[in-house]
Short mmCIF file of all heavy atoms in Angstrom, two decimals:
data_model
loop_
_atom_site.label_atom_id
_atom_site.label_comp_id
_atom_site.label_asym_id
_atom_site.label_seq_id
_atom_site.Cartn_x
_atom_site.Cartn_y
_atom_site.Cartn_z
N ALA R 173 -28.69 -26.91 -48.70
CA ALA R 173 -27.30 -27.30 -48.41
C ALA R 173 -27.11 -28.79 -48.67
O ALA R 173 -26.11 -29.20 -49.30
CB ALA R 173 -26.95 -26.95 -46.97
N ALA R 174 -28.05 -29.61 -48.19
CA ALA R 174 -27.95 -31.06 -48.41
C ALA R 174 -28.05 -31.39 -49.89
O ALA R 174 -27.33 -32.25 -50.41
CB ALA R 174 -29.03 -31.79 -47.62
N LEU R 175 -28.94 -30.70 -50.61
CA LEU R 175 -29.11 -30.94 -52.03
C LEU R 175 -27.85 -30.54 -52.81
O LEU R 175 -27.45 -31.24 -53.74
CB LEU R 175 -30.33 -30.17 -52.55
CG LEU R 175 -30.94 -30.64 -53.87
CD1 LEU R 175 -31.37 -32.09 -53.77
CD2 LEU R 175 -32.12 -29.76 -54.25
N ALA R 176 -27.24 -29.43 -52.41
CA ALA R 176 -25.99 -29.00 -53.05
C ALA R 176 -24.87 -30.02 -52.80
O ALA R 176 -24.09 -30.34 -53.70
CB ALA R 176 -25.58 -27.63 -52.52
N GLY R 177 -24.82 -30.54 -51.58
CA GLY R 177 -23.83 -31.57 -51.27
C GLY R 177 -24.05 -32.82 -52.11
O GLY R 177 -23.09 -33.43 -52.60
N ALA R 178 -25.32 -33.19 -52.30
CA ALA R 178 -25.64 -34.35 -53.14
C ALA R 178 -25.20 -34.10 -54.58
O ALA R 178 -24.67 -35.00 -55.24
CB ALA R 178 -27.14 -34.64 -53.08
N ALA R 179 -25.40 -32.88 -55.06
CA ALA R 179 -25.00 -32.55 -56.43
C ALA R 179 -23.49 -32.67 -56.61
O ALA R 179 -23.02 -33.20 -57.63
CB ALA R 179 -25.46 -31.13 -56.78
N VAL R 180 -22.74 -32.22 -55.64
CA VAL R 180 -21.27 -32.34 -55.68
C VAL R 180 -20.87 -33.82 -55.70
O VAL R 180 -19.99 -34.23 -56.48
CB VAL R 180 -20.63 -31.62 -54.48
CG1 VAL R 180 -19.13 -31.93 -54.42
CG2 VAL R 180 -20.85 -30.12 -54.59
N ALA R 181 -21.53 -34.62 -54.87
CA ALA R 181 -21.22 -36.05 -54.81
C ALA R 181 -21.54 -36.73 -56.15
O ALA R 181 -20.79 -37.60 -56.60
CB ALA R 181 -22.01 -36.71 -53.68
N VAL R 182 -22.63 -36.33 -56.79
CA VAL R 182 -23.00 -36.91 -58.09
C VAL R 182 -21.98 -36.56 -59.16
O VAL R 182 -21.58 -37.41 -59.96
CB VAL R 182 -24.41 -36.44 -58.52
CG1 VAL R 182 -24.69 -36.82 -59.97
CG2 VAL R 182 -25.48 -37.03 -57.61
N VAL R 183 -21.54 -35.32 -59.18
CA VAL R 183 -20.52 -34.89 -60.15
C VAL R 183 -19.24 -35.70 -59.94
O VAL R 183 -18.63 -36.21 -60.90
CB VAL R 183 -20.24 -33.38 -60.03
CG1 VAL R 183 -19.03 -32.99 -60.87
CG2 VAL R 183 -21.47 -32.58 -60.46
N ALA R 184 -18.82 -35.84 -58.69
CA ALA R 184 -17.62 -36.62 -58.39
C ALA R 184 -17.81 -38.08 -58.80
O ALA R 184 -16.89 -38.71 -59.35
CB ALA R 184 -17.30 -36.53 -56.89
N PHE R 185 -19.00 -38.61 -58.57
CA PHE R 185 -19.34 -39.99 -58.95
C PHE R 185 -19.21 -40.15 -60.46
O PHE R 185 -18.63 -41.13 -60.95
CB PHE R 185 -20.75 -40.31 -58.48
CG PHE R 185 -21.22 -41.70 -58.80
CD1 PHE R 185 -21.00 -42.74 -57.91
CD2 PHE R 185 -21.90 -41.97 -59.98
CE1 PHE R 185 -21.44 -44.03 -58.21
CE2 PHE R 185 -22.34 -43.25 -60.28
CZ PHE R 185 -22.11 -44.28 -59.39
N GLY R 186 -19.78 -39.21 -61.22
CA GLY R 186 -19.73 -39.29 -62.68
C GLY R 186 -18.31 -39.22 -63.22
O GLY R 186 -17.93 -39.99 -64.12
N ILE R 187 -17.51 -38.32 -62.67
CA ILE R 187 -16.12 -38.17 -63.12
C ILE R 187 -15.31 -39.42 -62.79
O ILE R 187 -14.57 -39.95 -63.63
CB ILE R 187 -15.49 -36.92 -62.48
CG1 ILE R 187 -16.17 -35.65 -63.00
CG2 ILE R 187 -13.99 -36.88 -62.75
CD1 ILE R 187 -15.76 -34.38 -62.28
N LEU R 188 -15.46 -39.90 -61.56
CA LEU R 188 -14.69 -41.05 -61.11
C LEU R 188 -15.07 -42.32 -61.87
O LEU R 188 -14.23 -43.19 -62.12
CB LEU R 188 -14.90 -41.26 -59.61
CG LEU R 188 -13.84 -42.05 -58.84
CD1 LEU R 188 -12.47 -41.41 -59.00
CD2 LEU R 188 -14.22 -42.12 -57.36
N SER R 189 -16.37 -42.44 -62.27
CA SER R 189 -16.82 -43.64 -62.98
C SER R 189 -16.12 -43.79 -64.33
O SER R 189 -16.02 -44.89 -64.87
CB SER R 189 -18.33 -43.61 -63.18
OG SER R 189 -18.71 -42.61 -64.12
N ARG R 190 -15.61 -42.69 -64.87
CA ARG R 190 -14.91 -42.74 -66.14
C ARG R 190 -13.47 -43.22 -66.01
O ARG R 190 -12.76 -43.35 -67.02
CB ARG R 190 -14.96 -41.35 -66.80
CG ARG R 190 -16.33 -41.09 -67.43
CD ARG R 190 -16.74 -39.66 -67.46
NE ARG R 190 -18.05 -39.51 -68.12
CZ ARG R 190 -19.23 -39.74 -67.53
NH1 ARG R 190 -19.28 -40.13 -66.27
NH2 ARG R 190 -20.36 -39.60 -68.20
N GLN R 191 -13.04 -43.49 -64.78
CA GLN R 191 -11.70 -44.02 -64.52
C GLN R 191 -11.73 -45.51 -64.16
O GLN R 191 -10.71 -46.07 -63.80
CB GLN R 191 -11.05 -43.24 -63.37
CG GLN R 191 -11.08 -41.73 -63.52
CD GLN R 191 -10.39 -41.26 -64.78
OE1 GLN R 191 -9.32 -41.74 -65.11
NE2 GLN R 191 -11.02 -40.31 -65.48
N LEU R 192 -12.90 -46.14 -64.28
CA LEU R 192 -13.03 -47.53 -63.83
C LEU R 192 -12.24 -48.52 -64.66
O LEU R 192 -11.96 -49.63 -64.20
CB LEU R 192 -14.51 -47.94 -63.82
CG LEU R 192 -15.25 -47.79 -62.49
CD1 LEU R 192 -16.71 -48.17 -62.66
CD2 LEU R 192 -14.61 -48.65 -61.41
N ASP R 193 -11.91 -48.17 -65.88
CA ASP R 193 -11.18 -49.10 -66.74
C ASP R 193 -9.67 -48.98 -66.59
O ASP R 193 -8.91 -49.58 -67.35
CB ASP R 193 -11.57 -48.87 -68.21
CG ASP R 193 -13.01 -49.28 -68.49
OD1 ASP R 193 -13.48 -50.22 -67.83
OD2 ASP R 193 -13.64 -48.65 -69.35
N THR R 194 -9.22 -48.20 -65.60
CA THR R 194 -7.80 -48.06 -65.34
C THR R 194 -7.34 -49.13 -64.35
O THR R 194 -8.14 -49.93 -63.86
CB THR R 194 -7.49 -46.67 -64.79
OG1 THR R 194 -8.15 -46.51 -63.53
CG2 THR R 194 -7.98 -45.59 -65.74
N ARG R 195 -6.04 -49.13 -64.02
CA ARG R 195 -5.51 -50.15 -63.11
C ARG R 195 -6.09 -50.06 -61.71
O ARG R 195 -6.16 -51.05 -60.99
CB ARG R 195 -3.99 -50.02 -63.04
CG ARG R 195 -3.28 -50.41 -64.32
CD ARG R 195 -1.77 -50.30 -64.16
NE ARG R 195 -1.07 -50.70 -65.37
CZ ARG R 195 0.26 -50.69 -65.49
NH1 ARG R 195 1.00 -50.29 -64.47
NH2 ARG R 195 0.81 -51.07 -66.63
N GLY R 196 -6.48 -48.87 -61.30
CA GLY R 196 -6.97 -48.71 -59.93
C GLY R 196 -8.46 -48.94 -59.80
O GLY R 196 -9.13 -48.26 -59.03
N ARG R 197 -9.00 -49.91 -60.55
CA ARG R 197 -10.46 -50.08 -60.58
C ARG R 197 -11.02 -50.50 -59.23
O ARG R 197 -12.15 -50.12 -58.90
CB ARG R 197 -10.86 -51.08 -61.66
CG ARG R 197 -10.36 -52.50 -61.45
CD ARG R 197 -10.98 -53.45 -62.47
NE ARG R 197 -10.63 -53.07 -63.82
CZ ARG R 197 -9.57 -53.54 -64.47
NH1 ARG R 197 -8.75 -54.39 -63.86
NH2 ARG R 197 -9.30 -53.16 -65.70
N VAL R 198 -10.27 -51.27 -58.41
CA VAL R 198 -10.82 -51.73 -57.13
C VAL R 198 -11.00 -50.56 -56.16
O VAL R 198 -12.11 -50.36 -55.63
CB VAL R 198 -9.94 -52.84 -56.52
CG1 VAL R 198 -10.44 -53.19 -55.11
CG2 VAL R 198 -9.98 -54.08 -57.40
#
Side-chain angles (χ1 to χ4, degrees):
L175 199 58
V180 172
V182 169
V183 171
F185 181 90
I187 294 171
L188 201 57
S189 70
R190 283 150 178 81
Q191 309 301 316
L192 265 177
D193 292 329
T194 63
R195 291 182 178 179
R197 64 172 61 92
V198 173

